[in-house]
Structure formats: structure tokens, C-alpha cells
Amino acid sequence: MAEYKVKVTTGTMKHSGTIDHIYIILIGTDGQSERTELNNVGIDFITGKTGAYKVKTSSSLGKLLLVKVEKDPFLIFPEDEWYCSKIEVTTPEEEEILFPCYRWLSRGEFVELRGGKGVKFMEEEHPMLLNHRKTELRFKKGSYQWKIINDGLPHISHFKDVFELFAEVRFSLSKSEEYEHTQRMITLELAMKGLAEPGKKWKRIEDMKNVFQFKKTTMPGEYVSEHWKEDDFFGYQFLNGTNPNVIKRCSKLPPNFPVTDEMVKPFLETGTTLEKEMEEGNIFLCDQKIMDGIPTRQKDGNPLYVAAGLCLFYKNPEGKLLPIAIQLYQQPSEQNPIFLPSDLETDWLLAKLFFRSSDLIQHQTLYHLLHTHYLAEVFTIATFRCLPTIHPLYKLLIPHFRYTLHINILVRKLLLSPGGALSESSLGVEGLMELMRRDLSQLTYSSLCLPENIKERGLESIPNFYYRDDALKLWNYLNEYATAMVDYYYTSDCDVMKDIELQEWVNEIFTHGFLENKRSGFPSCFNTIEEVAKFITMVIFRVSVQHAAVNNGQYDYNSWIPNGSLLLCKPPPAIKGQSSMQTVLETLPDVEDSVKIMSAARILSEKYTDVVLLGEFPEEHFDEPIPKEIIKVLQADLSYMKEEIAARNSELEMPYTYLNPDVVENSVTI
């Protein structure tokens, strides 16, 4: 007789356990075991617990290939799903093999698990395993299908609602309950304050402080509501706010932005000129030309307004970034003046409000929704469809796609459905779709690779750019991690080119994510190990670090509507000197639309308990010692970085916390 020792671990999520009957069959090169029930004295398969069992066979099964797990009902009790985390088997030859599962099983369902060592297609040695690999991919390609929602946009999953998703890619029960509780509490709080009534106008800007009195931001005090009018805070946000993606160094003014030295001389250091400051790298530009010509929607029969402006910034000797000129439309004219800090206070305030509001639309639509959520969905679907669970890159990537399909379905409902915060923006859904189409058509691979992005924008040396400092460190840590993993599994460039599953994976991303745009520089195939490592770095960085950078500060910055609004109700001033604070109030959205924007910002940056942070791997997919050591190196790097950020932030008036590994999630989950 031969004896196999089996350890079965049940998941830690709420209701992971089961009272149903669980059976396994061990399958090896020399035969298979009998169908054996896993049954000890007492209750088996308790949430978060590991049970030990024995499976006996008449002789050794040879090399253990698969573990088949089956679930049958217990008496007449109702459906009782079970979340199996992993199964560990010790063979009679004392070989310990990890079989990752990490999925829910329903009654009458079975799953065949592969051993934990990562194996590429060309390394398969047994016909049964090769067939198992092909069968798995056929099933997943039928289960995860591409859907075109709009020409010119990345393709999405075919799932229309979250209940259609497989259980293992849905939110956990606790996450769903917390998410729904947050929505209910927001609705209740607004109803109790009478803020959900349509048509009410703000009487005073100060009244906006009362919307969410019990939800405090992570900034010191009420920083944004107290400093939103200040120029240095306006400039600071383009470096360390929710959209640090658009500003760039300016060495020559665009021809459609006729700022003269005389205009800005009062705002520069004494004795210098605009030309000289540009030569020294102290002038920066933000150009919203991508929004030019997109029609706005109407609200109650009246048009809404959006800018497509240009803003010039000056880095002064104290290292502060200050706006010194704003033009709100692309073509200069008498009706499109260049606003200056010396103008009437409310004129300058309105110019900044319009510019920030367009920046907020770009942030939410492009840099948050398109560049993180939608791309994460593309990466997720391609991984499910093209890489079997035994592929080493599946094991490497799958932790970074947790809950992504679920949250994207919710985001499309929360933000883009009728009444959603983005659909109610000045551009409306059609305008936002056009904005995304324009952006995707000119999106480049280098712009998604942070070191190249920073260099292309000329931002290597601008001071107080904490997003850049933290994000570059994280990029480098992730690149070292990805490179070490790829180097371990691919010994030569030839291995890369022969891996047909890897090649299909990147080609699906190129086809369905970047719509086969060869000018973009996105790869459609891989030729070298270095190319694979860089691409993997980009993917992990985008769905973890970059999403945290553009998501985590939303409530801090965007819940104070005067700091920037998704919709504006009055046109910007065409003639200087005629505005007042009443004009500002009339330009801002009414109470109902304001709280809709604020509520979305709150939901999207709410803290939930079901969180897996960058560098945490509660699911054990790797069975080999070296990958486990590579993971430990990454974790040590992130631990050290937490201490560095804490030390730096202790000396800052306004700490930059959004890329502290303590708050960066492993995937797009909110």
C-alpha cells in the first residue's frame, strides 16, 4: 500500500466553509486513486482552517499530475458553496507538491488542479497535462469573451452584471456588504439634510462644508476648502493632486498662446524674463487641446460649459509652482482673453475654476477610467483567456486582477449610466466617449512607462514632486521584481519567442486594448526577456501604483466643488472686470449635482476592510523556493519605503500619502 498525505485549506472569506461532502482523486503517471471522501471526526472545511487527510492506494501513482476535487450535497440542505484555497500533497516518496485552487465550488461541480510549479507550454512532458492545458484554455476562452462597447475604445468583458461573473472574480460578501452600506449611508445622510432635492441652488460657498460633516479627509484639517483660492495650492495639485499626469516643461510657447513678457513680468523674479526662465527650465505648461471642439450637453434646456485651455506655470526660487497665465480656449481672441493673477480676483478665480474643472474631467475620464480601469480590464481578460493557471506569468499576474471585472461593471453603472456622476458632467456620455477615443488614438507605450513619461515631460528635476519620487521608486522595485521572475522562468530570448501562449497574450492586449495601433509603440509580440519584464512591470504598476495615485485622493481634492467641478453652468468671462463671487456661485452646479459629484468621490476613495496591498500575496501560487525569495525581496523593499515616506511626510505641511505601500492596493478594486 502507498499513502498520500493531503492537507486541504479553506478560504478565510465570510462563508467560505461548507458542510457538503468533498471527494478527491489523485492522478499520476502510473494510475489514479479511488474517489476518496475527505472526512475526519467533527466538522471539516471550516473557514480559514486546514484539514489533514490520508489517501491510500495499492501502489505508488508515479509522478503526481493532477488532483481532482468534487463536491456533493449533504442530505437535503440548500446550496453551500465552498472556497478551496489550496491542497498540499506529500507523496510516499516524500515529495511535497502545492496545488493552488483559490476558487468557489458548487454542488455537483469538480475541478482538476495542477501542481504549483510554473510550467510553460513547450515544457509540458506528459500528454495528459498538455491536454489538460488545452482544455482549460478552451473553457476560459468561452467563459471570458470580448465585447465592443464603442468604436475607438478598448474592448471590455461580455459580462453585463456582476451576478454573471464567476464567484472567484466577484467581490467577497464582506466587500459587497461594505460597498452597499456606504451607498446607503450616503443616501440617508443627504436625505436627512435635504440635499437630495432637485433644483436647489447654493446660497453660500461655505454651505458646501456641511455636506459630509462626518467624513473627514486625510489631509490636515480642512485644507482644500481653506486654500482652494491660493495660487501655490493650484500649482501644487498639478504635481501631487489626483492628476499629476498632464503638466510638462515648456521651452517654447505654443503659437496659439500669445503670452508676452510684459504680461507675466510682475509674477517672475525681479530682473528676469519669460524667455530666460524657459531656458532655465522654470516654465511649465498644461495644454487641454484634446478637449477642443467636443460639444457639451444641455441641462434643463440650457448649455453647460467646459474649457479647453492652456495654463502657464512658473517655478519660483522657493520651489513653488505658480500659475501665471490662463487662456480658456485654444484660439486666442478678444472674447478669449489671457487671464493673469493681477486681474480682478473673481476673474482669476473663475479662470482657475474652469481650468481645474476641465482637468477634473480629464482626470476622471482618461487618467483614472481609461488608463487604469479599462486597461486593467483588458489585461485581466487577456490573462484569463491566454494563460493557463500553471503558466508562470499567470501566477505572477493573477494577484493584480483581483475584483477588477466586478468593480468595472459597478463603475460603468455608477459613473456612466444615466444619472451617474460622469454622465452628468458638462460633456455628457457622448462627449466623454469622444474624449476617450481621441486619447486612445494618441496613447503611446512610453507614456505608460513612468521613467520614459517623466523624461518626455521634462519633469526630472522639478522640486516637491512627491508623486514622481514615490512612483519612480515603486516602478524600480516592481521592475526588479518582474525582471527576476521573468529571468527565472525564461533562460533565453528563444524561450520567449517559442512561448505561444505568451505571444497570444500580448497580441490580444495589443488588439483589444490598443486596437492594433502600430504608431503607439505597444508591442504585439515579444522577442526578448527584457521586453517581457518591462511590459509586466507596466501592467503591475498601472493596476496598483498608478491607480492608487489617481484614485486615493479623490475625496480629499474633489469633494470640495469650488476646487473643480465636473459640470459648470455659466460660460467663462469673455470680458474682464465684470464678475463677482455671485458669478462663481452661479457657475457652480446646483446642490443636487454637487452632492452627486461629492458622493462619487467619497465612494471611490472609501476604505474597505477586504484589502490586499501591494506586495501582499495571501494566495500561494508559487511552489518553488526562488520565486518565493523574489517575493520576499519585494516585500523588504516596500517595507523600507514605508519608513522613508513616513520620515519625509513628518516634515511636510501637507503630507503626500497616496503611494505609501500601506495604502496601495495590489489591483483595481475600487
Side-chain angles (χ1 to χ4, degrees), residues 300-328:
D300 300 327
N302 299 309
L304 297 175
Y305 298 89
V306 69
L310 302 103
C311 183
L312 205 63
F313 296 86
Y314 169 54
K315 178 180 72 68
N316 70 11
E318 289 78 44
K320 292 184 177 181
L321 188 69
L322 304 172
I324 57 174
I326 297 175
Q327 178 180 294
L328 291 176

PDB file of all heavy atoms in Angstrom, residues 300-328:
ATOM      1  N   ASP A 300     -31.620  70.938 -18.548  1.00  0.00           N
ATOM      2  CA  ASP A 300     -32.866  71.703 -18.442  1.00  0.00           C
ATOM      3  C   ASP A 300     -32.981  72.746 -19.550  1.00  0.00           C
ATOM      4  O   ASP A 300     -33.437  73.884 -19.329  1.00  0.00           O
ATOM      5  CB  ASP A 300     -32.957  72.388 -17.069  1.00  0.00           C
ATOM      6  CG  ASP A 300     -32.924  71.393 -15.922  1.00  0.00           C
ATOM      7  OD1 ASP A 300     -33.436  70.268 -16.103  1.00  0.00           O
ATOM      8  OD2 ASP A 300     -32.379  71.739 -14.860  1.00  0.00           O
ATOM      9  N   GLY A 301     -32.516  72.375 -20.743  1.00  0.00           N
ATOM     10  CA  GLY A 301     -32.622  73.270 -21.888  1.00  0.00           C
ATOM     11  C   GLY A 301     -31.523  74.304 -22.001  1.00  0.00           C
ATOM     12  O   GLY A 301     -31.488  75.078 -22.967  1.00  0.00           O
ATOM     13  N   ASN A 302     -30.616  74.318 -21.047  1.00  0.00           N
ATOM     14  CA  ASN A 302     -29.525  75.294 -21.061  1.00  0.00           C
ATOM     15  C   ASN A 302     -28.196  74.577 -21.280  1.00  0.00           C
ATOM     16  O   ASN A 302     -27.976  73.486 -20.740  1.00  0.00           O
ATOM     17  CB  ASN A 302     -29.472  76.061 -19.731  1.00  0.00           C
ATOM     18  CG  ASN A 302     -30.750  76.825 -19.477  1.00  0.00           C
ATOM     19  OD1 ASN A 302     -31.228  77.574 -20.335  1.00  0.00           O
ATOM     20  ND2 ASN A 302     -31.332  76.639 -18.282  1.00  0.00           N
ATOM     21  N   PRO A 303     -27.286  75.198 -22.059  1.00  0.00           N
ATOM     22  CA  PRO A 303     -25.999  74.540 -22.308  1.00  0.00           C
ATOM     23  C   PRO A 303     -25.116  74.550 -21.063  1.00  0.00           C
ATOM     24  O   PRO A 303     -25.206  75.449 -20.220  1.00  0.00           O
ATOM     25  CB  PRO A 303     -25.381  75.392 -23.417  1.00  0.00           C
ATOM     26  CG  PRO A 303     -25.993  76.749 -23.239  1.00  0.00           C
ATOM     27  CD  PRO A 303     -27.395  76.494 -22.754  1.00  0.00           C
ATOM     28  N   LEU A 304     -24.291  73.514 -20.940  1.00  0.00           N
ATOM     29  CA  LEU A 304     -23.241  73.500 -19.922  1.00  0.00           C
ATOM     30  C   LEU A 304     -21.926  73.899 -20.588  1.00  0.00           C
ATOM     31  O   LEU A 304     -21.830  73.974 -21.810  1.00  0.00           O
ATOM     32  CB  LEU A 304     -23.135  72.122 -19.281  1.00  0.00           C
ATOM     33  CG  LEU A 304     -24.386  71.657 -18.528  1.00  0.00           C
ATOM     34  CD1 LEU A 304     -24.231  70.230 -18.035  1.00  0.00           C
ATOM     35  CD2 LEU A 304     -24.700  72.594 -17.361  1.00  0.00           C
ATOM     36  N   TYR A 305     -20.899  74.128 -19.782  1.00  0.00           N
ATOM     37  CA  TYR A 305     -19.676  74.717 -20.318  1.00  0.00           C
ATOM     38  C   TYR A 305     -18.439  73.943 -19.858  1.00  0.00           C
ATOM     39  O   TYR A 305     -18.404  73.375 -18.765  1.00  0.00           O
ATOM     40  CB  TYR A 305     -19.568  76.190 -19.887  1.00  0.00           C
ATOM     41  CG  TYR A 305     -20.708  77.016 -20.432  1.00  0.00           C
ATOM     42  CD1 TYR A 305     -21.896  77.153 -19.714  1.00  0.00           C
ATOM     43  CD2 TYR A 305     -20.620  77.614 -21.687  1.00  0.00           C
ATOM     44  CE1 TYR A 305     -22.964  77.882 -20.217  1.00  0.00           C
ATOM     45  CE2 TYR A 305     -21.680  78.346 -22.202  1.00  0.00           C
ATOM     46  CZ  TYR A 305     -22.846  78.465 -21.468  1.00  0.00           C
ATOM     47  OH  TYR A 305     -23.898  79.171 -21.992  1.00  0.00           O
ATOM     48  N   VAL A 306     -17.460  73.938 -20.719  1.00  0.00           N
ATOM     49  CA  VAL A 306     -16.189  73.291 -20.414  1.00  0.00           C
ATOM     50  C   VAL A 306     -15.093  74.040 -21.153  1.00  0.00           C
ATOM     51  O   VAL A 306     -15.309  74.550 -22.261  1.00  0.00           O
ATOM     52  CB  VAL A 306     -16.218  71.797 -20.815  1.00  0.00           C
ATOM     53  CG1 VAL A 306     -16.263  71.624 -22.324  1.00  0.00           C
ATOM     54  CG2 VAL A 306     -15.038  71.046 -20.240  1.00  0.00           C
ATOM     55  N   ALA A 307     -13.936  74.147 -20.546  1.00  0.00           N
ATOM     56  CA  ALA A 307     -12.797  74.826 -21.167  1.00  0.00           C
ATOM     57  C   ALA A 307     -11.916  73.814 -21.888  1.00  0.00           C
ATOM     58  O   ALA A 307     -11.970  72.613 -21.626  1.00  0.00           O
ATOM     59  CB  ALA A 307     -11.988  75.567 -20.106  1.00  0.00           C
ATOM     60  N   ALA A 308     -11.142  74.325 -22.818  1.00  0.00           N
ATOM     61  CA  ALA A 308     -10.081  73.542 -23.462  1.00  0.00           C
ATOM     62  C   ALA A 308      -8.860  74.444 -23.482  1.00  0.00           C
ATOM     63  O   ALA A 308      -8.425  74.924 -24.526  1.00  0.00           O
ATOM     64  CB  ALA A 308     -10.492  73.123 -24.865  1.00  0.00           C
ATOM     65  N   GLY A 309      -8.354  74.721 -22.303  1.00  0.00           N
ATOM     66  CA  GLY A 309      -7.439  75.833 -22.125  1.00  0.00           C
ATOM     67  C   GLY A 309      -5.964  75.504 -22.120  1.00  0.00           C
ATOM     68  O   GLY A 309      -5.546  74.365 -22.346  1.00  0.00           O
ATOM     69  N   LEU A 310      -5.194  76.555 -21.860  1.00  0.00           N
ATOM     70  CA  LEU A 310      -3.751  76.453 -21.677  1.00  0.00           C
ATOM     71  C   LEU A 310      -3.392  77.226 -20.412  1.00  0.00           C
ATOM     72  O   LEU A 310      -3.922  78.327 -20.175  1.00  0.00           O
ATOM     73  CB  LEU A 310      -2.989  77.041 -22.860  1.00  0.00           C
ATOM     74  CG  LEU A 310      -3.276  76.437 -24.238  1.00  0.00           C
ATOM     75  CD1 LEU A 310      -4.191  77.371 -25.028  1.00  0.00           C
ATOM     76  CD2 LEU A 310      -1.978  76.200 -25.011  1.00  0.00           C
ATOM     77  N   CYS A 311      -2.533  76.645 -19.609  1.00  0.00           N
ATOM     78  CA  CYS A 311      -2.094  77.306 -18.375  1.00  0.00           C
ATOM     79  C   CYS A 311      -0.579  77.276 -18.306  1.00  0.00           C
ATOM     80  O   CYS A 311       0.050  76.229 -18.506  1.00  0.00           O
ATOM     81  CB  CYS A 311      -2.691  76.612 -17.156  1.00  0.00           C
ATOM     82  SG  CYS A 311      -2.266  77.410 -15.585  1.00  0.00           S
ATOM     83  N   LEU A 312       0.003  78.445 -18.045  1.00  0.00           N
ATOM     84  CA  LEU A 312       1.457  78.574 -17.915  1.00  0.00           C
ATOM     85  C   LEU A 312       1.801  78.669 -16.435  1.00  0.00           C
ATOM     86  O   LEU A 312       1.169  79.418 -15.678  1.00  0.00           O
ATOM     87  CB  LEU A 312       1.933  79.831 -18.656  1.00  0.00           C
ATOM     88  CG  LEU A 312       3.382  79.834 -19.145  1.00  0.00           C
ATOM     89  CD1 LEU A 312       3.615  78.744 -20.180  1.00  0.00           C
ATOM     90  CD2 LEU A 312       3.733  81.201 -19.730  1.00  0.00           C
ATOM     91  N   PHE A 313       2.801  77.884 -16.025  1.00  0.00           N
ATOM     92  CA  PHE A 313       3.237  77.847 -14.631  1.00  0.00           C
ATOM     93  C   PHE A 313       4.687  78.320 -14.526  1.00  0.00           C
ATOM     94  O   PHE A 313       5.497  78.101 -15.437  1.00  0.00           O
ATOM     95  CB  PHE A 313       3.153  76.427 -14.069  1.00  0.00           C
ATOM     96  CG  PHE A 313       1.770  75.854 -14.008  1.00  0.00           C
ATOM     97  CD1 PHE A 313       1.219  75.199 -15.111  1.00  0.00           C
ATOM     98  CD2 PHE A 313       1.014  75.939 -12.853  1.00  0.00           C
ATOM     99  CE1 PHE A 313      -0.039  74.649 -15.056  1.00  0.00           C
ATOM    100  CE2 PHE A 313      -0.255  75.381 -12.789  1.00  0.00           C
ATOM    101  CZ  PHE A 313      -0.791  74.745 -13.891  1.00  0.00           C
ATOM    102  N   TYR A 314       4.990  78.909 -13.378  1.00  0.00           N
ATOM    103  CA  TYR A 314       6.359  79.370 -13.097  1.00  0.00           C
ATOM    104  C   TYR A 314       6.831  78.738 -11.798  1.00  0.00           C
ATOM    105  O   TYR A 314       6.146  78.818 -10.767  1.00  0.00           O
ATOM    106  CB  TYR A 314       6.366  80.892 -12.988  1.00  0.00           C
ATOM    107  CG  TYR A 314       7.650  81.493 -12.452  1.00  0.00           C
ATOM    108  CD1 TYR A 314       8.888  81.204 -13.026  1.00  0.00           C
ATOM    109  CD2 TYR A 314       7.605  82.386 -11.365  1.00  0.00           C
ATOM    110  CE1 TYR A 314      10.054  81.785 -12.533  1.00  0.00           C
ATOM    111  CE2 TYR A 314       8.759  82.966 -10.866  1.00  0.00           C
ATOM    112  CZ  TYR A 314       9.987  82.658 -11.453  1.00  0.00           C
ATOM    113  OH  TYR A 314      11.137  83.232 -10.970  1.00  0.00           O
ATOM    114  N   LYS A 315       7.989  78.097 -11.859  1.00  0.00           N
ATOM    115  CA  LYS A 315       8.614  77.584 -10.636  1.00  0.00           C
ATOM    116  C   LYS A 315       9.491  78.694 -10.075  1.00  0.00           C
ATOM    117  O   LYS A 315      10.522  79.042 -10.643  1.00  0.00           O
ATOM    118  CB  LYS A 315       9.461  76.336 -10.919  1.00  0.00           C
ATOM    119  CG  LYS A 315      10.168  75.784  -9.664  1.00  0.00           C
ATOM    120  CD  LYS A 315      10.998  74.567  -9.969  1.00  0.00           C
ATOM    121  CE  LYS A 315      12.260  74.917 -10.748  1.00  0.00           C
ATOM    122  NZ  LYS A 315      13.219  75.701  -9.914  1.00  0.00           N
ATOM    123  N   ASN A 316       9.058  79.254  -8.960  1.00  0.00           N
ATOM    124  CA  ASN A 316       9.790  80.394  -8.402  1.00  0.00           C
ATOM    125  C   ASN A 316      11.014  79.932  -7.602  1.00  0.00           C
ATOM    126  O   ASN A 316      11.215  78.728  -7.391  1.00  0.00           O
ATOM    127  CB  ASN A 316       8.849  81.280  -7.576  1.00  0.00           C
ATOM    128  CG  ASN A 316       8.400  80.611  -6.275  1.00  0.00           C
ATOM    129  OD1 ASN A 316       8.923  79.582  -5.853  1.00  0.00           O
ATOM    130  ND2 ASN A 316       7.416  81.207  -5.617  1.00  0.00           N
ATOM    131  N   PRO A 317      11.855  80.862  -7.159  1.00  0.00           N
ATOM    132  CA  PRO A 317      13.082  80.468  -6.443  1.00  0.00           C
ATOM    133  C   PRO A 317      12.822  79.664  -5.167  1.00  0.00           C
ATOM    134  O   PRO A 317      13.710  78.943  -4.702  1.00  0.00           O
ATOM    135  CB  PRO A 317      13.737  81.817  -6.116  1.00  0.00           C
ATOM    136  CG  PRO A 317      13.256  82.740  -7.195  1.00  0.00           C
ATOM    137  CD  PRO A 317      11.843  82.310  -7.462  1.00  0.00           C
ATOM    138  N   GLU A 318      11.620  79.772  -4.595  1.00  0.00           N
ATOM    139  CA  GLU A 318      11.296  78.981  -3.399  1.00  0.00           C
ATOM    140  C   GLU A 318      10.854  77.564  -3.758  1.00  0.00           C
ATOM    141  O   GLU A 318      10.553  76.765  -2.869  1.00  0.00           O
ATOM    142  CB  GLU A 318      10.183  79.669  -2.593  1.00  0.00           C
ATOM    143  CG  GLU A 318      10.610  80.941  -1.885  1.00  0.00           C
ATOM    144  CD  GLU A 318      10.689  82.121  -2.846  1.00  0.00           C
ATOM    145  OE1 GLU A 318       9.771  82.277  -3.680  1.00  0.00           O
ATOM    146  OE2 GLU A 318      11.680  82.868  -2.774  1.00  0.00           O
ATOM    147  N   GLY A 319      10.795  77.268  -5.062  1.00  0.00           N
ATOM    148  CA  GLY A 319      10.404  75.932  -5.495  1.00  0.00           C
ATOM    149  C   GLY A 319       8.913  75.739  -5.621  1.00  0.00           C
ATOM    150  O   GLY A 319       8.449  74.617  -5.877  1.00  0.00           O
ATOM    151  N   LYS A 320       8.136  76.814  -5.476  1.00  0.00           N
ATOM    152  CA  LYS A 320       6.690  76.704  -5.624  1.00  0.00           C
ATOM    153  C   LYS A 320       6.300  76.832  -7.090  1.00  0.00           C
ATOM    154  O   LYS A 320       6.897  77.603  -7.847  1.00  0.00           O
ATOM    155  CB  LYS A 320       5.982  77.785  -4.800  1.00  0.00           C
ATOM    156  CG  LYS A 320       6.104  77.596  -3.305  1.00  0.00           C
ATOM    157  CD  LYS A 320       5.306  78.646  -2.548  1.00  0.00           C
ATOM    158  CE  LYS A 320       5.366  78.406  -1.044  1.00  0.00           C
ATOM    159  NZ  LYS A 320       4.572  79.416  -0.284  1.00  0.00           N
ATOM    160  N   LEU A 321       5.281  76.079  -7.484  1.00  0.00           N
ATOM    161  CA  LEU A 321       4.784  76.113  -8.858  1.00  0.00           C
ATOM    162  C   LEU A 321       3.540  76.991  -8.884  1.00  0.00           C
ATOM    163  O   LEU A 321       2.521  76.660  -8.278  1.00  0.00           O
ATOM    164  CB  LEU A 321       4.454  74.701  -9.331  1.00  0.00           C
ATOM    165  CG  LEU A 321       4.114  74.547 -10.808  1.00  0.00           C
ATOM    166  CD1 LEU A 321       5.346  74.791 -11.681  1.00  0.00           C
ATOM    167  CD2 LEU A 321       3.552  73.150 -11.084  1.00  0.00           C
ATOM    168  N   LEU A 322       3.618  78.119  -9.613  1.00  0.00           N
ATOM    169  CA  LEU A 322       2.542  79.105  -9.598  1.00  0.00           C
ATOM    170  C   LEU A 322       1.975  79.318 -10.995  1.00  0.00           C
ATOM    171  O   LEU A 322       2.740  79.450 -11.964  1.00  0.00           O
ATOM    172  CB  LEU A 322       3.064  80.448  -9.066  1.00  0.00           C
ATOM    173  CG  LEU A 322       3.709  80.426  -7.679  1.00  0.00           C
ATOM    174  CD1 LEU A 322       4.342  81.770  -7.373  1.00  0.00           C
ATOM    175  CD2 LEU A 322       2.662  80.078  -6.621  1.00  0.00           C
ATOM    176  N   PRO A 323       0.646  79.408 -11.131  1.00  0.00           N
ATOM    177  CA  PRO A 323       0.062  79.756 -12.428  1.00  0.00           C
ATOM    178  C   PRO A 323       0.275  81.246 -12.703  1.00  0.00           C
ATOM    179  O   PRO A 323       0.044  82.081 -11.822  1.00  0.00           O
ATOM    180  CB  PRO A 323      -1.421  79.433 -12.239  1.00  0.00           C
ATOM    181  CG  PRO A 323      -1.663  79.600 -10.768  1.00  0.00           C
ATOM    182  CD  PRO A 323      -0.381  79.203 -10.086  1.00  0.00           C
ATOM    183  N   ILE A 324       0.712  81.570 -13.916  1.00  0.00           N
ATOM    184  CA  ILE A 324       0.960  82.983 -14.234  1.00  0.00           C
ATOM    185  C   ILE A 324       0.155  83.451 -15.445  1.00  0.00           C
ATOM    186  O   ILE A 324       0.102  84.655 -15.718  1.00  0.00           O
ATOM    187  CB  ILE A 324       2.464  83.259 -14.473  1.00  0.00           C
ATOM    188  CG1 ILE A 324       3.017  82.364 -15.589  1.00  0.00           C
ATOM    189  CG2 ILE A 324       3.248  83.081 -13.169  1.00  0.00           C
ATOM    190  CD1 ILE A 324       4.458  82.690 -15.971  1.00  0.00           C
ATOM    191  N   ALA A 325      -0.486  82.535 -16.159  1.00  0.00           N
ATOM    192  CA  ALA A 325      -1.331  82.926 -17.289  1.00  0.00           C
ATOM    193  C   ALA A 325      -2.256  81.770 -17.654  1.00  0.00           C
ATOM    194  O   ALA A 325      -1.817  80.621 -17.710  1.00  0.00           O
ATOM    195  CB  ALA A 325      -0.481  83.324 -18.488  1.00  0.00           C
ATOM    196  N   ILE A 326      -3.534  82.089 -17.887  1.00  0.00           N
ATOM    197  CA  ILE A 326      -4.511  81.074 -18.281  1.00  0.00           C
ATOM    198  C   ILE A 326      -5.335  81.596 -19.453  1.00  0.00           C
ATOM    199  O   ILE A 326      -5.885  82.703 -19.388  1.00  0.00           O
ATOM    200  CB  ILE A 326      -5.458  80.706 -17.117  1.00  0.00           C
ATOM    201  CG1 ILE A 326      -4.681  80.077 -15.951  1.00  0.00           C
ATOM    202  CG2 ILE A 326      -6.547  79.739 -17.594  1.00  0.00           C
ATOM    203  CD1 ILE A 326      -5.534  79.795 -14.721  1.00  0.00           C
ATOM    204  N   GLN A 327      -5.410  80.798 -20.506  1.00  0.00           N
ATOM    205  CA  GLN A 327      -6.292  81.062 -21.644  1.00  0.00           C
ATOM    206  C   GLN A 327      -7.247  79.877 -21.732  1.00  0.00           C
ATOM    207  O   GLN A 327      -6.807  78.730 -21.792  1.00  0.00           O
ATOM    208  CB  GLN A 327      -5.472  81.207 -22.926  1.00  0.00           C
ATOM    209  CG  GLN A 327      -6.283  81.440 -24.188  1.00  0.00           C
ATOM    210  CD  GLN A 327      -5.394  81.568 -25.414  1.00  0.00           C
ATOM    211  OE1 GLN A 327      -4.614  82.526 -25.526  1.00  0.00           O
ATOM    212  NE2 GLN A 327      -5.492  80.612 -26.319  1.00  0.00           N
ATOM    213  N   LEU A 328      -8.553  80.117 -21.756  1.00  0.00           N
ATOM    214  CA  LEU A 328      -9.526  79.047 -21.545  1.00  0.00           C
ATOM    215  C   LEU A 328      -9.968  78.331 -22.815  1.00  0.00           C
ATOM    216  O   LEU A 328     -10.611  77.284 -22.730  1.00  0.00           O
ATOM    217  CB  LEU A 328     -10.739  79.584 -20.786  1.00  0.00           C
ATOM    218  CG  LEU A 328     -10.432  79.962 -19.328  1.00  0.00           C
ATOM    219  CD1 LEU A 328     -11.647  80.568 -18.656  1.00  0.00           C
ATOM    220  CD2 LEU A 328      -9.926  78.764 -18.544  1.00  0.00           C
TER     221      LEU A 328
END
